[in-house]
Amino acid sequence: MTLAGPDGATDVGPQPRTPYVETASPEPHEPEDPDEPGEPDWVSDLSSSGPRHEEALRRLHALLLKAARHQVWRMRDQLPGVGAVTVDELATCAADDALVAILAKLGGFEGRSRFTTWAYKFAILQAANEVRRHAWSSREVCLPDDALWSDASAGPEQHAEATDLAAAVQHAMAVALTSYQRRIALALLVEQVPIDVLADRLGTTRGALYKTLHVARSRLRAHLTASGHLTTARGGTP
Amino acid sequence: MTPDPRRLTSTDAQRLIMPTDPWLSCEDCFELTDRFAEELLAHPDTTHLPEMLVHLHACAACAEEAESLIVLLAADVGADPAAALDRLRG
Ligand SMILES: [Zn+2]
């Protein structure tokens, strides 16, 4: 099964790598000077109107852009040949999307972490997804042909003597997993297709694919425990 | 001609049998990750939220994002994230 990329790559050839320069100055989490003001009341400011709201939006966007740039530069090696301008556009796009997501979920902020930490995670998620999508935008994603991995030529009796865990896992995949579970597990864990990229191409979500992986791993561990290759279903080897 | 069957490496095999219990979804991981990152940075030996550590060992995408958040938080306060990252990576 071949799933074409949604758009073409925009590689612009080798570009000088520009070091990441932080441009935002977020509020300190724990001001050491007691005379310093603490964190602003983000939820109240963002829920207000007029200049107070506009100022809060501006501060939040600067915070998100900082986090998005941090994330994009962490994953810079996944974007060979992509210029600094494009890299910064990815970060800006991620910050914009994160701002929209945060405003939609503002009522869900429960104060269990600092607001800035809560906000950062949205920008990091968006930026990581932007990089993964861009890196794979011109690449085909092939769900592996599970016939090549099923190891159907060898019967269980041959593997009963196998001490090689890899061979035992491969046999367990052939007999304990459905074709879909096998192909998803191979794509994510062996072919190393990023989970969000695979989810996009299959029209599903990261969560749904991880659930499939969870079921597949549980079945493999149970099978290998029954065959004596694992000491417990939690994954220990004898 | 039929291509030769592919063979798993031992690294592949370890990834395929990675424990994922106690169960935590990627959505729940995202919900908890801000609180977890602050907790781990302040107390790298924390025993809170053990299901987060299991999920982050088993889910590469969530793990990258959690590590990134810890590094960013540490930079904000001038802290060293090494101990928290060591715990995260097991
Ligand atoms: Zn996850």
Side-chain angles (χ1 to χ4, degrees):
Chain A
M1 182 176 179
T2 299
L3 302 149
D7 50 51
T10 55
D11 287 359
V12 292
Q15 299 281 321
R17 191 162 164 165
T18 307
Y20 162 55
V21 178
E22 296 192 358
T23 57
S25 300
E27 296 293 327
H29 295 318
E30 292 174 7
E32 291 178 359
D33 180 349
D35 294 329
E36 267 188 29
E39 280 202 17
D41 185 345
W42 284 97
V43 175
S44 176
D45 291 349
L46 290 165
S47 303
S48 65
S49 58
R52 182 182 169 198
H53 175 73
E54 295 300 321
E55 171 59 15
L57 280 182
R58 188 197 60 74
R59 281 189 284 119
L60 179 56
H61 191 269
L63 198 76
L64 298 174
L65 189 57
K66 169 188 161 173
R69 284 182 170 142
H70 161 80
Q71 184 60 43
V72 169
W73 281 97
R74 268 177 70 89
M75 301 173 78
R76 184 70 175 86
D77 62 351
Q78 295 186 27
L79 301 168
V82 176
V85 171
T86 301
V87 169
D88 208 55
E89 284 172 357
L90 292 177
T92 302
C93 189
D96 293 348
D97 289 347
L99 183 65
V100 172
I102 286 170
L103 293 178
K105 296 189 175 181
L106 201 55
F109 175 65
E110 296 176 331
R112 294 186 180 185
S113 67
R114 294 177 185 86
F115 182 87
T116 49
T117 307
W118 184 75
Y120 278 159
K121 73 176 179 179
F122 287 88
I124 286 172
L125 174 71
Q126 293 290 346
N129 282 344
E130 289 286 343
V131 171
R132 293 180 188 120
R133 288 195 183 107
H134 194 87
W136 284 72
S137 60
S138 63
R139 294 172 67 175
E140 289 183 343
V141 174
C142 299
L143 275 185
D145 178 357
D146 65 341
L148 291 179
W149 290 92
S150 291
D151 200 17
S153 60
E157 66 285 351
Q158 290 167 271
H159 282 286
E161 296 175 7
T163 54
D164 179 358
L165 183 63
V169 171
Q170 187 149 357
H171 177 69
M173 286 180 63
V175 298
L177 303 188
T178 66
S179 174
Y180 181 74
Q181 289 165 346
R182 196 158 45 235
R183 297 175 85 192
I184 295 299
L186 288 167
L188 294 175
L189 302 179
V190 178
E191 306 288 346
Q192 305 268 314
V193 180
I195 194 166
D196 295 309
V197 172
L198 189 62
D200 279 352
R201 305 291 173 93
L202 296 177
T204 183
T205 63
R206 177 192 296 196
L209 290 183
Y210 184 77
K211 178 72 177 177
T212 299
L213 208 50
H214 165 72
V215 173
R217 281 164 154 164
S218 298
R219 285 188 177 196
L220 290 176
R221 288 196 304 277
H223 185 91
L224 292 164
T225 301
S227 67
H229 289 96
L230 292 181
T231 52
T232 70
R234 299 289 300 273
T237 50
Chain B
M1 193 172 113
T2 307
D4 288 339
R6 305 276 301 274
R7 295 286 166 204
L8 295 177
T9 66
S10 61
T11 304
D12 295 334
Q14 292 295 342
R15 284 197 202 105
L16 284 158
I17 60 171
M18 188 84 74
T20 52
D21 289 314
W23 162 253
L24 188 74
S25 69
C26 290
E27 290 83 357
D28 289 340
C29 177
F30 182 75
E31 284 300 313
L32 293 169
T33 196
D34 47 328
R35 178 179 150 208
F36 178 73
E38 287 185 355
E39 172 82 16
L40 201 62
L41 194 56
H43 308 288
D45 57 349
T46 182
T47 55
H48 290 168
L49 301 172
E51 65 275 23
M52 280 293 285
L53 285 174
V54 170
H55 185 90
L56 295 174
H57 287 153
C59 182
C62 289
E64 161 56 27
E65 291 149 18
E67 279 200 19
S68 176
L69 182 57
I70 287 169
V71 171
L72 186 57
L73 294 180
D76 274 355
V77 296
D80 182 355
L85 295 179
D86 284 349
R87 181 77 195 286
L88 197 65
R89 293 164 184 163

